[in-house]
Amino acid sequence: MSGSDGRARIVAVVAAIPAGQVRGYGQVALAAGLPGRARWVARILAEHDGPALPWHRVVRSDGRIAFAPGSAQWREQVARLQGEGVTVKSGRVKLANASVSDVDRAIWGPE
DNA sequence: GCGGTGACTGACA
DNA sequence: CTGTCAGCCACCG
């Protein structure tokens, strides 16, 4: 099958992130089967327009907000995370310890 | 085909 | 802890 739609996979992974938890761009890309495409993930979220996507649950590898501190998007992401019970400290959040297998199963199925 | 760009990452000082 | 450097890959003119 020509899985050229990496976008669909990335969107699926982000949409599979449970509320109250956060993920890194690299982790999302890896879970989507596209290692090294962290930058692509960022572009997808930025260009994505359609169903509500929990893009605010995606942060940098350090658990820091990808936007510039004080920016409108930065404040919005922080507000959304806090609204879901995520503790945000100095624009930083605590990354959840979830293996790729767990994410993979959440997307493709329990098999 | 080429060079510049970016919601990135890891290593190093 | 912060800041800099090089590597990475997809997109655009």
Side-chain angles (χ1 to χ4, degrees):
Chain A
M1 291 240 315
S2 49
S4 22
D5 262 317
R7 280 175 263 179
R9 288 197 189 146
I10 293 171
V11 172
V13 174
V14 176
I17 301 175
Q21 293 191 24
V22 293
R23 286 258 210 249
Y25 291 94
Q27 280 205 292
V28 173
L30 188 66
L34 303 166
R37 274 73 169 174
R39 295 190 92 139
W40 197 23
V41 176
R43 181 171 284 278
I44 300 302
L45 297 178
E47 297 289 314
H48 179 266
D49 57 338
L53 194 66
W55 57 270
H56 55 268
R57 293 182 193 144
V58 186
V59 296
R60 286 179 59 162
S61 59
D62 298 350
R64 238 196 301 170
I65 304 297
F67 296 108
S71 209
Q73 292 277 55
W74 182 90
R75 279 179 288 147
E76 182 165 323
Q77 186 164 7
V78 174
R80 283 182 178 243
L81 289 172
Q82 290 181 337
E84 294 190 345
V86 178
T87 305
V88 184
K89 186 82 172 172
S90 300
R92 284 203 286 179
V93 298
K94 197 185 234 178
L95 265 44
N97 298 334
S99 299
V100 179
S101 305
D102 291 340
V103 181
D104 187 48
R105 195 173 19 189
I107 302 166
W108 302 106
E111 299 267 336

